[in-house]
Amino acid sequence: MAAVPLAWAALAALAAGLDAAAWTDLLAQPHWGRAVLHALVTGLTATVLSVWITAWILSLTFATRGWQAFTRLLAPMLAVPHAAFAIGLAFLLAPSGWLLRVLSPWATGLQLPPDWPTTQDPWGLGLVLALVGKEVPFLLWTAASQLERADAGARWSRELTLACTMGYSRSAAWWRVVWPQLVPRLGAPVLAVAAYSLTVVDVALVIGPASPPTAAVLAWQWLLDADAAVNARGAAAAWLLAGLVAAVALAMRVLRRASPWRSRWSDGRRGAVEAGPVRAALPATLLAGLYLAALAVLAVSSVAGVWPFPRVWPEVISLEGWRSVAGSTGTLTTTLGLAVASSLTALVWGVAWLEAAPPAWDARLRRLVYLPLLLPSVLWVVGLHRLALAWHLDGQWAGLWLAHTLAALPYVLIALSPSYLGFDARYGHIAASLGHGRAAFLLRVKWPLLRAGLASSLAVAFAVSVAQYLPTVFVGAGRFNTVTTEAVTLASGGQRSLVAAYAWLQWLLPAVVFGVAAWAGRRRSFPRMRASRSV
């Protein structure tokens, strides 16, 4: 059943770019070439940096005493939506941002904000930083789901220890033994990161280059135009972005066959520098520091009234932004209703898929399920819009629910598949031998044992729904406002406290759900029964 709306939306998206006149019009646009170059440079740079930083962090933390604590830090980072993180970074790095306020005037000598392009810079450096900051926790999370599998993770940990006993340093053992086995399993997540980085819209609107913007932003602006010809030009631009993503996927496939990951990254035998406790804790400290700084500046900005440069703290505290947010009950209700409904539906859909789909069907249809991650967001939203029009769901709550569910389903399968498919089948055999049926086994054995993965997948789906921007605007026909649409729309204005309040709320809602999921999935401990002594 999941394949039906996915296939329909995908075919509708692909059919949107068949207008030859629109292609001619697109290629004649004077800024299109630079916009594509912006997208390629920022997207590929962010992807390469994200993969390299992820591998470096894993080489320092996997199978160490702090590994479990480090993986627990990923949940609150994943809870921060891309747009909220980008807004926090923009407030942090802006010429009047917190970073220069802390350094002024004692270190910079500045008494007024400088005319520096620190955000929306023409080179896209701010966009790259925002993408890397968000994609590294995602890749770490997907890698951790593989490294903690009962079958592969324990074996890789033993192989790492064995390599160290043979004289290799821990770093060399990681690059030679574990990483070559792990990286093939990260193919889909890395491709999803590349596709998102090449075609992102909401983050680029907040912190990306503006003149010209990236290709995805230009395509989105054309798709919103009321002129049918301009709209067709936007669909053709979305098609071209899909071609870029396909080219990147082909290049990744060629590189994987060439096995570059098996090269001699490190030649260290015994005597090489080992990852001590301080060095192993460095990645967690840097990541956590970046997120804490972005969230802290959002919190302060949300209550800032008069705040002259270069004062670090506002002169006047004002709750006007939060009062405006509290008065937007319709926005909050829509956000929570869509997130709860779509995340529950995606979880049930994902569990049913993993439980009932034959392995051959699963292997063939997984690529279809991952289309929302691999297709450019501007092209995918065109397909969703045409699907909503065909099913008479355009501008309706049910259409938004379907769009958010289809966006969350791939993340649920990515999060749940390692633990679900790695579940020990012997539990089922034991339950059957005791006379229990399939339903009793699922309700009393399998799902309780997988409650951590189920709860985590539900939280991820909730966060994905909260972060949806393009489907909410396009499929909802502008009739529904969420905290994300409000935050991104207001980010280009001058209402700093209101933007920060919406961005903070955009993070707070998923963070609460992630906290509940962590509590629900915690390991249970039972008191040991003392044996009674006979008198």
Side-chain angles (χ1 to χ4, degrees), residues 47 51 135 138-139 142-143 145-146 183-195 252 256 370 373-374 414:
T47 302
V51 174
E135 300 309 333
F138 170 70
L139 290 176
T142 55
S145 65
Q146 297 291 338
V183 71
R185 304 191 182 201
L186 298 181
V190 172
L191 182 56
V193 168
M252 288 177 55
R256 189 185 305 173
Y370 290 154
L373 302 181
L374 304 180
I414 290 175

mmCIF file with all atom_site columns, all heavy atoms in Angstrom, residues 47 51 135 138-139 142-143 145-146 183-195 252 256 370 373-374 414:
data_model
loop_
_atom_site.group_PDB
_atom_site.id
_atom_site.type_symbol
_atom_site.label_atom_id
_atom_site.label_alt_id
_atom_site.label_comp_id
_atom_site.label_asym_id
_atom_site.label_entity_id
_atom_site.label_seq_id
_atom_site.pdbx_PDB_ins_code
_atom_site.Cartn_x
_atom_site.Cartn_y
_atom_site.Cartn_z
_atom_site.occupancy
_atom_site.B_iso_or_equiv
_atom_site.pdbx_formal_charge
_atom_site.auth_seq_id
_atom_site.auth_comp_id
_atom_site.auth_asym_id
_atom_site.auth_atom_id
_atom_site.pdbx_PDB_model_num
ATOM 1   N N   . THR A 1 47  ? 28.508 17.741 1.797  1.00 0.00 ? 47  THR A N   1
ATOM 2   C CA  . THR A 1 47  ? 28.434 16.277 1.860  1.00 0.00 ? 47  THR A CA  1
ATOM 3   C C   . THR A 1 47  ? 29.785 15.658 2.193  1.00 0.00 ? 47  THR A C   1
ATOM 4   O O   . THR A 1 47  ? 29.890 14.788 3.071  1.00 0.00 ? 47  THR A O   1
ATOM 5   C CB  . THR A 1 47  ? 27.915 15.727 0.522  1.00 0.00 ? 47  THR A CB  1
ATOM 6   O OG1 . THR A 1 47  ? 26.633 16.298 0.232  1.00 0.00 ? 47  THR A OG1 1
ATOM 7   C CG2 . THR A 1 47  ? 27.787 14.213 0.577  1.00 0.00 ? 47  THR A CG2 1
ATOM 8   N N   . VAL A 1 51  ? 30.661 13.576 5.685  1.00 0.00 ? 51  VAL A N   1
ATOM 9   C CA  . VAL A 1 51  ? 31.120 12.177 5.719  1.00 0.00 ? 51  VAL A CA  1
ATOM 10  C C   . VAL A 1 51  ? 32.476 12.079 6.406  1.00 0.00 ? 51  VAL A C   1
ATOM 11  O O   . VAL A 1 51  ? 32.707 11.188 7.236  1.00 0.00 ? 51  VAL A O   1
ATOM 12  C CB  . VAL A 1 51  ? 31.176 11.605 4.289  1.00 0.00 ? 51  VAL A CB  1
ATOM 13  C CG1 . VAL A 1 51  ? 31.800 10.214 4.293  1.00 0.00 ? 51  VAL A CG1 1
ATOM 14  C CG2 . VAL A 1 51  ? 29.782 11.553 3.682  1.00 0.00 ? 51  VAL A CG2 1
ATOM 15  N N   . GLU A 1 135 ? 23.894 17.623 9.214  1.00 0.00 ? 135 GLU A N   1
ATOM 16  C CA  . GLU A 1 135 ? 24.011 16.309 8.587  1.00 0.00 ? 135 GLU A CA  1
ATOM 17  C C   . GLU A 1 135 ? 24.963 15.379 9.346  1.00 0.00 ? 135 GLU A C   1
ATOM 18  O O   . GLU A 1 135 ? 24.813 14.166 9.272  1.00 0.00 ? 135 GLU A O   1
ATOM 19  C CB  . GLU A 1 135 ? 24.475 16.456 7.131  1.00 0.00 ? 135 GLU A CB  1
ATOM 20  C CG  . GLU A 1 135 ? 23.551 17.280 6.255  1.00 0.00 ? 135 GLU A CG  1
ATOM 21  C CD  . GLU A 1 135 ? 22.103 16.843 6.333  1.00 0.00 ? 135 GLU A CD  1
ATOM 22  O OE1 . GLU A 1 135 ? 21.830 15.664 6.613  1.00 0.00 ? 135 GLU A OE1 1
ATOM 23  O OE2 . GLU A 1 135 ? 21.220 17.690 6.116  1.00 0.00 ? 135 GLU A OE2 1
ATOM 24  N N   . PHE A 1 138 ? 23.007 13.365 11.812 1.00 0.00 ? 138 PHE A N   1
ATOM 25  C CA  . PHE A 1 138 ? 22.185 12.385 11.099 1.00 0.00 ? 138 PHE A CA  1
ATOM 26  C C   . PHE A 1 138 ? 23.018 11.187 10.654 1.00 0.00 ? 138 PHE A C   1
ATOM 27  O O   . PHE A 1 138 ? 22.615 10.025 10.836 1.00 0.00 ? 138 PHE A O   1
ATOM 28  C CB  . PHE A 1 138 ? 21.529 13.050 9.889  1.00 0.00 ? 138 PHE A CB  1
ATOM 29  C CG  . PHE A 1 138 ? 20.855 12.083 8.959  1.00 0.00 ? 138 PHE A CG  1
ATOM 30  C CD1 . PHE A 1 138 ? 19.699 11.423 9.326  1.00 0.00 ? 138 PHE A CD1 1
ATOM 31  C CD2 . PHE A 1 138 ? 21.396 11.813 7.704  1.00 0.00 ? 138 PHE A CD2 1
ATOM 32  C CE1 . PHE A 1 138 ? 19.078 10.520 8.468  1.00 0.00 ? 138 PHE A CE1 1
ATOM 33  C CE2 . PHE A 1 138 ? 20.789 10.918 6.840  1.00 0.00 ? 138 PHE A CE2 1
ATOM 34  C CZ  . PHE A 1 138 ? 19.630 10.273 7.228  1.00 0.00 ? 138 PHE A CZ  1
ATOM 35  N N   . LEU A 1 139 ? 24.188 11.430 10.075 1.00 0.00 ? 139 LEU A N   1
ATOM 36  C CA  . LEU A 1 139 ? 25.042 10.325 9.658  1.00 0.00 ? 139 LEU A CA  1
ATOM 37  C C   . LEU A 1 139 ? 25.550 9.532  10.852 1.00 0.00 ? 139 LEU A C   1
ATOM 38  O O   . LEU A 1 139 ? 25.670 8.301  10.783 1.00 0.00 ? 139 LEU A O   1
ATOM 39  C CB  . LEU A 1 139 ? 26.214 10.860 8.832  1.00 0.00 ? 139 LEU A CB  1
ATOM 40  C CG  . LEU A 1 139 ? 25.883 11.395 7.442  1.00 0.00 ? 139 LEU A CG  1
ATOM 41  C CD1 . LEU A 1 139 ? 27.116 11.968 6.776  1.00 0.00 ? 139 LEU A CD1 1
ATOM 42  C CD2 . LEU A 1 139 ? 25.256 10.308 6.574  1.00 0.00 ? 139 LEU A CD2 1
ATOM 43  N N   . THR A 1 142 ? 22.659 7.248  11.899 1.00 0.00 ? 142 THR A N   1
ATOM 44  C CA  . THR A 1 142 ? 22.487 6.089  11.034 1.00 0.00 ? 142 THR A CA  1
ATOM 45  C C   . THR A 1 142 ? 23.648 5.105  11.202 1.00 0.00 ? 142 THR A C   1
ATOM 46  O O   . THR A 1 142 ? 23.448 3.887  11.169 1.00 0.00 ? 142 THR A O   1
ATOM 47  C CB  . THR A 1 142 ? 22.387 6.526  9.566  1.00 0.00 ? 142 THR A CB  1
ATOM 48  O OG1 . THR A 1 142 ? 23.526 7.324  9.219  1.00 0.00 ? 142 THR A OG1 1
ATOM 49  C CG2 . THR A 1 142 ? 21.138 7.327  9.334  1.00 0.00 ? 142 THR A CG2 1
ATOM 50  N N   . ALA A 1 143 ? 24.867 5.625  11.387 1.00 0.00 ? 143 ALA A N   1
ATOM 51  C CA  . ALA A 1 143 ? 26.005 4.734  11.625 1.00 0.00 ? 143 ALA A CA  1
ATOM 52  C C   . ALA A 1 143 ? 25.868 4.014  12.956 1.00 0.00 ? 143 ALA A C   1
ATOM 53  O O   . ALA A 1 143 ? 26.165 2.814  13.066 1.00 0.00 ? 143 ALA A O   1
ATOM 54  C CB  . ALA A 1 143 ? 27.308 5.528  11.586 1.00 0.00 ? 143 ALA A CB  1
ATOM 55  N N   . SER A 1 145 ? 23.128 3.183  14.432 1.00 0.00 ? 145 SER A N   1
ATOM 56  C CA  . SER A 1 145 ? 22.119 2.126  14.311 1.00 0.00 ? 145 SER A CA  1
ATOM 57  C C   . SER A 1 145 ? 22.718 0.857  13.711 1.00 0.00 ? 145 SER A C   1
ATOM 58  O O   . SER A 1 145 ? 22.264 -0.252 14.009 1.00 0.00 ? 145 SER A O   1
ATOM 59  C CB  . SER A 1 145 ? 20.955 2.612  13.444 1.00 0.00 ? 145 SER A CB  1
ATOM 60  O OG  . SER A 1 145 ? 21.370 2.845  12.109 1.00 0.00 ? 145 SER A OG  1
ATOM 61  N N   . GLN A 1 146 ? 23.744 0.985  12.877 1.00 0.00 ? 146 GLN A N   1
ATOM 62  C CA  . GLN A 1 146 ? 24.441 -0.185 12.332 1.00 0.00 ? 146 GLN A CA  1
ATOM 63  C C   . GLN A 1 146 ? 25.456 -0.737 13.325 1.00 0.00 ? 146 GLN A C   1
ATOM 64  O O   . GLN A 1 146 ? 25.588 -1.957 13.492 1.00 0.00 ? 146 GLN A O   1
ATOM 65  C CB  . GLN A 1 146 ? 25.142 0.189  11.024 1.00 0.00 ? 146 GLN A CB  1
ATOM 66  C CG  . GLN A 1 146 ? 24.221 0.614  9.898  1.00 0.00 ? 146 GLN A CG  1
ATOM 67  C CD  . GLN A 1 146 ? 23.384 -0.527 9.367  1.00 0.00 ? 146 GLN A CD  1
ATOM 68  O OE1 . GLN A 1 146 ? 23.733 -1.710 9.529  1.00 0.00 ? 146 GLN A OE1 1
ATOM 69  N NE2 . GLN A 1 146 ? 22.278 -0.198 8.725  1.00 0.00 ? 146 GLN A NE2 1
ATOM 70  N N   . VAL A 1 183 ? 31.020 1.519  5.696  1.00 0.00 ? 183 VAL A N   1
ATOM 71  C CA  . VAL A 1 183 ? 30.675 2.530  4.686  1.00 0.00 ? 183 VAL A CA  1
ATOM 72  C C   . VAL A 1 183 ? 29.729 2.016  3.606  1.00 0.00 ? 183 VAL A C   1
ATOM 73  O O   . VAL A 1 183 ? 28.870 2.782  3.138  1.00 0.00 ? 183 VAL A O   1
ATOM 74  C CB  . VAL A 1 183 ? 31.965 3.128  4.079  1.00 0.00 ? 183 VAL A CB  1
ATOM 75  C CG1 . VAL A 1 183 ? 32.682 2.144  3.182  1.00 0.00 ? 183 VAL A CG1 1
ATOM 76  C CG2 . VAL A 1 183 ? 31.663 4.414  3.340  1.00 0.00 ? 183 VAL A CG2 1
ATOM 77  N N   . PRO A 1 184 ? 29.771 0.744  3.184  1.00 0.00 ? 184 PRO A N   1
ATOM 78  C CA  . PRO A 1 184 ? 28.752 0.309  2.206  1.00 0.00 ? 184 PRO A CA  1
ATOM 79  C C   . PRO A 1 184 ? 27.338 0.385  2.750  1.00 0.00 ? 184 PRO A C   1
ATOM 80  O O   . PRO A 1 184 ? 26.385 0.586  1.983  1.00 0.00 ? 184 PRO A O   1
ATOM 81  C CB  . PRO A 1 184 ? 29.156 -1.143 1.893  1.00 0.00 ? 184 PRO A CB  1
ATOM 82  C CG  . PRO A 1 184 ? 30.600 -1.222 2.230  1.00 0.00 ? 184 PRO A CG  1
ATOM 83  C CD  . PRO A 1 184 ? 30.768 -0.332 3.422  1.00 0.00 ? 184 PRO A CD  1
ATOM 84  N N   . ARG A 1 185 ? 27.171 0.243  4.054  1.00 0.00 ? 185 ARG A N   1
ATOM 85  C CA  . ARG A 1 185 ? 25.838 0.307  4.652  1.00 0.00 ? 185 ARG A CA  1
ATOM 86  C C   . ARG A 1 185 ? 25.349 1.740  4.817  1.00 0.00 ? 185 ARG A C   1
ATOM 87  O O   . ARG A 1 185 ? 24.180 1.953  5.159  1.00 0.00 ? 185 ARG A O   1
ATOM 88  C CB  . ARG A 1 185 ? 25.837 -0.396 6.020  1.00 0.00 ? 185 ARG A CB  1
ATOM 89  C CG  . ARG A 1 185 ? 26.323 -1.832 5.954  1.00 0.00 ? 185 ARG A CG  1
ATOM 90  C CD  . ARG A 1 185 ? 26.064 -2.550 7.249  1.00 0.00 ? 185 ARG A CD  1
ATOM 91  N NE  . ARG A 1 185 ? 26.559 -3.922 7.220  1.00 0.00 ? 185 ARG A NE  1
ATOM 92  C CZ  . ARG A 1 185 ? 26.129 -4.894 8.031  1.00 0.00 ? 185 ARG A CZ  1
ATOM 93  N NH1 . ARG A 1 185 ? 25.200 -4.621 8.933  1.00 0.00 ? 185 ARG A NH1 1
ATOM 94  N NH2 . ARG A 1 185 ? 26.628 -6.102 7.941  1.00 0.00 ? 185 ARG A NH2 1
ATOM 95  N N   . LEU A 1 186 ? 26.221 2.701  4.604  1.00 0.00 ? 186 LEU A N   1
ATOM 96  C CA  . LEU A 1 186 ? 25.845 4.106  4.709  1.00 0.00 ? 186 LEU A CA  1
ATOM 97  C C   . LEU A 1 186 ? 25.582 4.727  3.342  1.00 0.00 ? 186 LEU A C   1
ATOM 98  O O   . LEU A 1 186 ? 25.463 5.949  3.233  1.00 0.00 ? 186 LEU A O   1
ATOM 99  C CB  . LEU A 1 186 ? 26.956 4.898  5.414  1.00 0.00 ? 186 LEU A CB  1
ATOM 100 C CG  . LEU A 1 186 ? 27.280 4.488  6.853  1.00 0.00 ? 186 LEU A CG  1
ATOM 101 C CD1 . LEU A 1 186 ? 28.390 5.378  7.407  1.00 0.00 ? 186 LEU A CD1 1
ATOM 102 C CD2 . LEU A 1 186 ? 26.049 4.565  7.733  1.00 0.00 ? 186 LEU A CD2 1
ATOM 103 N N   . GLY A 1 187 ? 25.501 3.895  2.309  1.00 0.00 ? 187 GLY A N   1
ATOM 104 C CA  . GLY A 1 187 ? 25.314 4.434  0.967  1.00 0.00 ? 187 GLY A CA  1
ATOM 105 C C   . GLY A 1 187 ? 24.043 5.256  0.835  1.00 0.00 ? 187 GLY A C   1
ATOM 106 O O   . GLY A 1 187 ? 24.068 6.395  0.341  1.00 0.00 ? 187 GLY A O   1
ATOM 107 N N   . ALA A 1 188 ? 22.907 4.711  1.275  1.00 0.00 ? 188 ALA A N   1
ATOM 108 C CA  . ALA A 1 188 ? 21.635 5.429  1.158  1.00 0.00 ? 188 ALA A CA  1
ATOM 109 C C   . ALA A 1 188 ? 21.614 6.698  2.010  1.00 0.00 ? 188 ALA A C   1
ATOM 110 O O   . ALA A 1 188 ? 21.195 7.758  1.531  1.00 0.00 ? 188 ALA A O   1
ATOM 111 C CB  . ALA A 1 188 ? 20.474 4.509  1.511  1.00 0.00 ? 188 ALA A CB  1
ATOM 112 N N   . PRO A 1 189 ? 22.047 6.648  3.287  1.00 0.00 ? 189 PRO A N   1
ATOM 113 C CA  . PRO A 1 189 ? 22.065 7.899  4.061  1.00 0.00 ? 189 PRO A CA  1
ATOM 114 C C   . PRO A 1 189 ? 22.984 8.967  3.470  1.00 0.00 ? 189 PRO A C   1
ATOM 115 O O   . PRO A 1 189 ? 22.630 10.152 3.468  1.00 0.00 ? 189 PRO A O   1
ATOM 116 C CB  . PRO A 1 189 ? 22.557 7.445  5.443  1.00 0.00 ? 189 PRO A CB  1
ATOM 117 C CG  . PRO A 1 189 ? 22.173 6.009  5.539  1.00 0.00 ? 189 PRO A CG  1
ATOM 118 C CD  . PRO A 1 189 ? 22.324 5.482  4.148  1.00 0.00 ? 189 PRO A CD  1
ATOM 119 N N   . VAL A 1 190 ? 24.151 8.574  2.968  1.00 0.00 ? 190 VAL A N   1
ATOM 120 C CA  . VAL A 1 190 ? 25.056 9.564  2.370  1.00 0.00 ? 190 VAL A CA  1
ATOM 121 C C   . VAL A 1 190 ? 24.438 10.161 1.112  1.00 0.00 ? 190 VAL A C   1
ATOM 122 O O   . VAL A 1 190 ? 24.526 11.378 0.873  1.00 0.00 ? 190 VAL A O   1
ATOM 123 C CB  . VAL A 1 190 ? 26.422 8.923  2.061  1.00 0.00 ? 190 VAL A CB  1
ATOM 124 C CG1 . VAL A 1 190 ? 27.299 9.880  1.253  1.00 0.00 ? 190 VAL A CG1 1
ATOM 125 C CG2 . VAL A 1 190 ? 27.138 8.555  3.355  1.00 0.00 ? 190 VAL A CG2 1
ATOM 126 N N   . LEU A 1 191 ? 23.794 9.333  0.309  1.00 0.00 ? 191 LEU A N   1
ATOM 127 C CA  . LEU A 1 191 ? 23.126 9.854  -0.881 1.00 0.00 ? 191 LEU A CA  1
ATOM 128 C C   . LEU A 1 191 ? 21.983 10.788 -0.496 1.00 0.00 ? 191 LEU A C   1
ATOM 129 O O   . LEU A 1 191 ? 21.751 11.815 -1.158 1.00 0.00 ? 191 LEU A O   1
ATOM 130 C CB  . LEU A 1 191 ? 22.598 8.698  -1.734 1.00 0.00 ? 191 LEU A CB  1
ATOM 131 C CG  . LEU A 1 191 ? 21.909 9.089  -3.046 1.00 0.00 ? 191 LEU A CG  1
ATOM 132 C CD1 . LEU A 1 191 ? 22.828 9.935  -3.918 1.00 0.00 ? 191 LEU A CD1 1
ATOM 133 C CD2 . LEU A 1 191 ? 21.441 7.848  -3.801 1.00 0.00 ? 191 LEU A CD2 1
ATOM 134 N N   . ALA A 1 192 ? 21.274 10.457 0.589  1.00 0.00 ? 192 ALA A N   1
ATOM 135 C CA  . ALA A 1 192 ? 20.209 11.343 1.066  1.00 0.00 ? 192 ALA A CA  1
ATOM 136 C C   . ALA A 1 192 ? 20.781 12.683 1.511  1.00 0.00 ? 192 ALA A C   1
ATOM 137 O O   . ALA A 1 192 ? 20.186 13.745 1.258  1.00 0.00 ? 192 ALA A O   1
ATOM 138 C CB  . ALA A 1 192 ? 19.448 10.676 2.213  1.00 0.00 ? 192 ALA A CB  1
ATOM 139 N N   . VAL A 1 193 ? 21.932 12.660 2.167  1.00 0.00 ? 193 VAL A N   1
ATOM 140 C CA  . VAL A 1 193 ? 22.594 13.904 2.580  1.00 0.00 ? 193 VAL A CA  1
ATOM 141 C C   . VAL A 1 193 ? 22.992 14.726 1.361  1.00 0.00 ? 193 VAL A C   1
ATOM 142 O O   . VAL A 1 193 ? 22.788 15.946 1.318  1.00 0.00 ? 193 VAL A O   1
ATOM 143 C CB  . VAL A 1 193 ? 23.814 13.587 3.462  1.00 0.00 ? 193 VAL A CB  1
ATOM 144 C CG1 . VAL A 1 193 ? 24.687 14.830 3.647  1.00 0.00 ? 193 VAL A CG1 1
ATOM 145 C CG2 . VAL A 1 193 ? 23.368 13.055 4.814  1.00 0.00 ? 193 VAL A CG2 1
ATOM 146 N N   . ALA A 1 194 ? 23.553 14.060 0.354  1.00 0.00 ? 194 ALA A N   1
ATOM 147 C CA  . ALA A 1 194 ? 23.958 14.776 -0.865 1.00 0.00 ? 194 ALA A CA  1
ATOM 148 C C   . ALA A 1 194 ? 22.745 15.375 -1.564 1.00 0.00 ? 194 ALA A C   1
ATOM 149 O O   . ALA A 1 194 ? 22.771 16.540 -2.003 1.00 0.00 ? 194 ALA A O   1
ATOM 150 C CB  . ALA A 1 194 ? 24.701 13.834 -1.798 1.00 0.00 ? 194 ALA A CB  1
ATOM 151 N N   . ALA A 1 195 ? 21.666 14.588 -1.676 1.00 0.00 ? 195 ALA A N   1
ATOM 152 C CA  . ALA A 1 195 ? 20.470 15.093 -2.346 1.00 0.00 ? 195 ALA A CA  1
ATOM 153 C C   . ALA A 1 195 ? 19.881 16.279 -1.592 1.00 0.00 ? 195 ALA A C   1
ATOM 154 O O   . ALA A 1 195 ? 19.467 17.275 -2.203 1.00 0.00 ? 195 ALA A O   1
ATOM 155 C CB  . ALA A 1 195 ? 19.436 13.971 -2.467 1.00 0.00 ? 195 ALA A CB  1
ATOM 156 N N   . MET A 1 252 ? 28.972 8.215  -6.873 1.00 0.00 ? 252 MET A N   1
ATOM 157 C CA  . MET A 1 252 ? 29.167 7.461  -5.630 1.00 0.00 ? 252 MET A CA  1
ATOM 158 C C   . MET A 1 252 ? 29.262 5.969  -5.902 1.00 0.00 ? 252 MET A C   1
ATOM 159 O O   . MET A 1 252 ? 30.057 5.258  -5.278 1.00 0.00 ? 252 MET A O   1
ATOM 160 C CB  . MET A 1 252 ? 28.023 7.752  -4.664 1.00 0.00 ? 252 MET A CB  1
ATOM 161 C CG  . MET A 1 252 ? 28.045 9.132  -4.045 1.00 0.00 ? 252 MET A CG  1
ATOM 162 S SD  . MET A 1 252 ? 26.609 9.431  -2.987 1.00 0.00 ? 252 MET A SD  1
ATOM 163 C CE  . MET A 1 252 ? 26.729 8.042  -1.856 1.00 0.00 ? 252 MET A CE  1
ATOM 164 N N   . ARG A 1 256 ? 32.437 3.689  -5.024 1.00 0.00 ? 256 ARG A N   1
ATOM 165 C CA  . ARG A 1 256 ? 32.307 2.544  -4.121 1.00 0.00 ? 256 ARG A CA  1
ATOM 166 C C   . ARG A 1 256 ? 32.916 1.296  -4.745 1.00 0.00 ? 256 ARG A C   1
ATOM 167 O O   . ARG A 1 256 ? 33.553 0.490  -4.071 1.00 0.00 ? 256 ARG A O   1
ATOM 168 C CB  . ARG A 1 256 ? 30.832 2.303  -3.805 1.00 0.00 ? 256 ARG A CB  1
ATOM 169 C CG  . ARG A 1 256 ? 30.619 1.265  -2.707 1.00 0.00 ? 256 ARG A CG  1
ATOM 170 C CD  . ARG A 1 256 ? 29.149 0.971  -2.509 1.00 0.00 ? 256 ARG A CD  1
ATOM 171 N NE  . ARG A 1 256 ? 28.390 2.187  -2.245 1.00 0.00 ? 256 ARG A NE  1
ATOM 172 C CZ  . ARG A 1 256 ? 27.074 2.214  -2.160 1.00 0.00 ? 256 ARG A CZ  1
ATOM 173 N NH1 . ARG A 1 256 ? 26.367 1.114  -2.360 1.00 0.00 ? 256 ARG A NH1 1
ATOM 174 N NH2 . ARG A 1 256 ? 26.449 3.342  -1.904 1.00 0.00 ? 256 ARG A NH2 1
ATOM 175 N N   . TYR A 1 370 ? 12.479 5.399  -0.480 1.00 0.00 ? 370 TYR A N   1
ATOM 176 C CA  . TYR A 1 370 ? 13.499 6.420  -0.211 1.00 0.00 ? 370 TYR A CA  1
ATOM 177 C C   . TYR A 1 370 ? 13.450 7.583  -1.207 1.00 0.00 ? 370 TYR A C   1
ATOM 178 O O   . TYR A 1 370 ? 14.264 8.500  -1.102 1.00 0.00 ? 370 TYR A O   1
ATOM 179 C CB  . TYR A 1 370 ? 14.891 5.790  -0.257 1.00 0.00 ? 370 TYR A CB  1
ATOM 180 C CG  . TYR A 1 370 ? 15.171 4.856  0.892  1.00 0.00 ? 370 TYR A CG  1
ATOM 181 C CD1 . TYR A 1 370 ? 16.094 3.818  0.773  1.00 0.00 ? 370 TYR A CD1 1
ATOM 182 C CD2 . TYR A 1 370 ? 14.510 4.988  2.106  1.00 0.00 ? 370 TYR A CD2 1
ATOM 183 C CE1 . TYR A 1 370 ? 16.349 2.956  1.826  1.00 0.00 ? 370 TYR A CE1 1
ATOM 184 C CE2 . TYR A 1 370 ? 14.751 4.132  3.158  1.00 0.00 ? 370 TYR A CE2 1
ATOM 185 C CZ  . TYR A 1 370 ? 15.668 3.117  3.012  1.00 0.00 ? 370 TYR A CZ  1
ATOM 186 O OH  . TYR A 1 370 ? 15.919 2.263  4.063  1.00 0.00 ? 370 TYR A OH  1
ATOM 187 N N   . LEU A 1 373 ? 13.637 11.165 -0.031 1.00 0.00 ? 373 LEU A N   1
ATOM 188 C CA  . LEU A 1 373 ? 14.958 11.608 0.411  1.00 0.00 ? 373 LEU A CA  1
ATOM 189 C C   . LEU A 1 373 ? 15.893 11.862 -0.764 1.00 0.00 ? 373 LEU A C   1
ATOM 190 O O   . LEU A 1 373 ? 16.795 12.711 -0.667 1.00 0.00 ? 373 LEU A O   1
ATOM 191 C CB  . LEU A 1 373 ? 15.595 10.553 1.328  1.00 0.00 ? 373 LEU A CB  1
ATOM 192 C CG  . LEU A 1 373 ? 14.833 10.167 2.594  1.00 0.00 ? 373 LEU A CG  1
ATOM 193 C CD1 . LEU A 1 373 ? 15.623 9.140  3.373  1.00 0.00 ? 373 LEU A CD1 1
ATOM 194 C CD2 . LEU A 1 373 ? 14.551 11.379 3.440  1.00 0.00 ? 373 LEU A CD2 1
ATOM 195 N N   . LEU A 1 374 ? 15.703 11.135 -1.857 1.00 0.00 ? 374 LEU A N   1
ATOM 196 C CA  . LEU A 1 374 ? 16.659 11.182 -2.952 1.00 0.00 ? 374 LEU A CA  1
ATOM 197 C C   . LEU A 1 374 ? 16.273 12.179 -4.041 1.00 0.00 ? 374 LEU A C   1
ATOM 198 O O   . LEU A 1 374 ? 17.150 12.742 -4.690 1.00 0.00 ? 374 LEU A O   1
ATOM 199 C CB  . LEU A 1 374 ? 16.812 9.774  -3.553 1.00 0.00 ? 374 LEU A CB  1
ATOM 200 C CG  . LEU A 1 374 ? 17.226 8.676  -2.560 1.00 0.00 ? 374 LEU A CG  1
ATOM 201 C CD1 . LEU A 1 374 ? 17.330 7.336  -3.271 1.00 0.00 ? 374 LEU A CD1 1
ATOM 202 C CD2 . LEU A 1 374 ? 18.529 9.024  -1.876 1.00 0.00 ? 374 LEU A CD2 1
ATOM 203 N N   . ILE A 1 414 ? 14.585 3.785  8.030  1.00 0.00 ? 414 ILE A N   1
ATOM 204 C CA  . ILE A 1 414 ? 16.023 3.864  8.287  1.00 0.00 ? 414 ILE A CA  1
ATOM 205 C C   . ILE A 1 414 ? 16.316 3.638  9.765  1.00 0.00 ? 414 ILE A C   1
ATOM 206 O O   . ILE A 1 414 ? 17.262 2.926  10.133 1.00 0.00 ? 414 ILE A O   1
ATOM 207 C CB  . ILE A 1 414 ? 16.571 5.224  7.830  1.00 0.00 ? 414 ILE A CB  1
ATOM 208 C CG1 . ILE A 1 414 ? 16.569 5.315  6.302  1.00 0.00 ? 414 ILE A CG1 1
ATOM 209 C CG2 . ILE A 1 414 ? 17.993 5.446  8.341  1.00 0.00 ? 414 ILE A CG2 1
ATOM 210 C CD1 . ILE A 1 414 ? 16.980 6.669  5.780  1.00 0.00 ? 414 ILE A CD1 1
#
